[in-house]
Amino acid sequence: MTQTRLTRDILLAALVLCTLTSTFQLAQSQGAESAINQASNTLASTCQAAAQAQAAGANVDGLMTTLNEAADLLSKAQLANAAGDYSAANNYASQCQSKITGVTAEASRLQQEALNQKSQSTTFTVLNLLVSVAVLFSGVVAWFVLNKRERRSTDGAKSL
Amino acid sequence: MGLSHYKTFILVVTIALALLLASPSIQPLLVYPQTDNLTEFWMFGPNHDASYPTNITADQNYRVYLDLTNRLGVAAYYKVEIKFRNQTQSGPDSFNRTSSDLPALSSITIVAADNATEEVPLDISFQYHMADAPSTILHMDTVTVNGFAIDANATTIAWDKDRGGYFGDLIFELWLYNQTTNSFQYHQRYLNLFLKLNW
């Protein structure tokens, strides 16, 4: 009777332990998956910010170096997750997330700087074109004046 | 000899001067030849050349380099899905431009600025065993990528009578992040290593 009860207790304890272990593993796996998704989404939005800055004419070499390091960490997180090493996956995903913190703000700053520079450059272009047109105009006017003077002197010589 | 004798010279000089002065403003208006927006995707073997590992021994490490050049005109966010298939399983299709239906073993992430080239070194080894004799089925256990052993035991490889060996295909599919749909889309490019797994 006692032996049966003992066996039953042991089986029950083993069952509880198995359930707890698998629940813990499942929670760990879901945690790692969620951390990876979050890091991936952040990396995507940061990459978009860098792309916009580059399109505005900013030099994004520094940003891209940081983003590449973050991408490398995310790759490690994905590989660790696929290999079932959820704790390492979580760790790499967190490192990736912290690596790109502030990069979006930096990208926006560079984009704004590039836009300001572009606006200054537009002013310079307009002034430059005005000066060029003025030089061209003065040349044409000089040619007309000289042409007229030449014609007048030729006419004078003929009348004499 | 008055200035009027130099009128043409003066006109030419002023036109040349005006063009010279305007050149910094005209330069941005020049249209340079445009290339198609695309991504170049290629692979190197262990010696950084086109000699690739093909004869595989279990547990031995093989290095390959995945390279891509972004010519999309903007910085891009890619992922490379790593897949392993036997000869009967679905593979990517170059003609229909579709990816393989197989689930990825794992993926790696690459970010590249416009016109930038990125390289990812991968150390890969294969773990497999034979079913008990007289079977001629090779069972995959894991594919280890950069030190992470990824479960591949869903794949079995039958003996290829025609070619005399066990053959598998390691595939690298390129996916591009679409900022509009906020999801990865198959970028219609893949690389593969056709491998003879020796036993």
Side-chain angles (χ1 to χ4, degrees):
Chain A
M1 185 75 177
T2 323
Q3 205 172 357
T4 319
R5 186 178 281 179
L6 190 68
T7 315
R8 192 193 63 193
D9 288 351
I10 288 170
L11 279 174
L12 201 68
L15 189 70
V16 168
L17 196 69
C18 271
T19 313
L20 278 176
T21 313
S22 58
T23 311
F24 178 67
Q25 269 192 330
L26 186 71
Q28 258 201 327
S29 135
Q30 282 172 344
E33 195 85 37
S34 149
I36 288 170
N37 284 339
Q38 208 176 335
S40 174
N41 290 339
T42 315
L43 189 59
S45 58
T46 313
C47 189
Q48 189 177 16
Q52 283 168 350
Q54 192 178 25
N59 180 353
V60 292
D61 289 353
L63 291 184
M64 292 316 288
T65 307
T66 312
L67 287 182
N68 275 320
E69 286 166 5
D72 188 40
L73 287 165
L74 186 59
S75 297
K76 282 180 180 163
Q78 284 162 329
L79 287 170
N81 188 49
D85 189 349
Y86 304 120
S87 128
N90 230 325
N91 186 20
Y92 283 126
S94 306
Q95 282 184 50
C96 169
Q97 188 85 31
S98 46
K99 176 71 80 182
I100 42 185
T101 306
V103 175
T104 308
E106 177 67 5
S108 302
R109 192 187 64 77
L110 287 175
Q111 186 182 355
Q112 196 52 50
E113 249 179 43
L115 288 174
N116 290 344
Q117 214 163 359
K118 218 175 223 180
S119 141
Q120 280 175 359
S121 153
T122 309
T123 315
F124 168 78
T125 304
V126 170
L127 285 173
N128 184 256
L129 282 174
L130 282 174
V131 170
S132 307
V133 168
V135 168
L136 185 67
F137 184 72
S138 65
V140 172
V141 167
W143 186 83
F144 270 113
V145 169
L146 292 172
N147 199 31
K148 214 172 196 180
R149 194 186 288 177
E150 192 182 43
R151 214 175 270 174
R152 223 180 269 164
S153 62
T154 318
D155 290 349
K158 268 183 190 169
S159 63
L160 276 174
Chain B
M1 284 278 280
L3 264 177
S4 47
H5 290 281
Y6 298 105
K7 63 178 184 183
T8 313
F9 177 73
I10 289 168
L11 184 66
V12 170
V13 167
T14 46
I15 289 172
L17 190 68
L19 280 173
L20 197 71
L21 277 171
S23 60
S25 308
I26 295 169
Q27 197 188 7
L29 302 175
L30 294 175
V31 179
Y32 294 101
Q34 298 287 306
T35 54
D36 284 338
N37 289 339
L38 51 86
T39 305
E40 294 169 28
F41 187 41
W42 72 97
M43 177 166 46
F44 281 136
N47 303 318
H48 244 116
D49 57 18
S51 56
Y52 304 105
T54 47
N55 261 312
I56 302 300
T57 308
D59 290 323
Q60 195 175 318
N61 187 61
Y62 300 94
R63 172 163 276 210
V64 291
Y65 297 89
L66 293 183
D67 293 80
L68 67 78
T69 300
N70 170 12
R71 300 205 190 281
L72 295 171
V74 286
Y77 175 30
Y78 301 94
K79 78 169 172 177
V80 177
E81 289 205 339
I82 305 168
K83 297 179 178 181
F84 185 81
R85 63 181 275 267
N86 64 27
Q87 286 173 274
T88 59
Q89 287 173 311
S90 137
D93 192 323
S94 307
F95 293 106
N96 296 322
R97 299 174 174 192
T98 51
S99 61
S100 160
D101 294 335
L102 288 174
L105 294 174
S106 183
S107 56
I108 49 172
T109 309
I110 304 171
V111 171
D114 183 30
N115 281 325
T117 299
E118 298 297 336
E119 182 172 75
V120 180
L122 292 177
D123 288 311
I124 302 171
S125 63
F126 301 85
Q127 290 72 43
Y128 48 85
H129 68 274
M130 280 295 289
D132 295 334
S135 171
T136 52
I137 303 285
L138 191 137
H139 290 260
M140 291 302 298
D141 296 321
T142 51
V143 175
T144 303
V145 182
N146 286 352
F148 295 99
I150 302 158
D151 192 2
N153 65 14
T155 310
T156 54
I157 301 173
W159 174 261
D160 187 327
K161 282 180 207 160
D162 300 334
R163 280 186 270 197
Y166 296 98
F167 293 92
D169 200 5
L170 186 66
I171 305 161
F172 303 99
E173 287 177 354
L174 188 65
W175 293 64
L176 174 67
Y177 193 83
N178 184 330
Q179 301 283 2
T180 316
T181 58
N182 287 329
S183 61
F184 281 99
Q185 284 177 344
Y186 181 51
H187 199 35
Q188 301 172 356
R189 278 152 185 77
Y190 72 92
L191 300 165
N192 67 319
L193 280 175
F194 195 61
L195 308 166
K196 183 180 182 185
L197 303 162
N198 295 301
W199 184 258

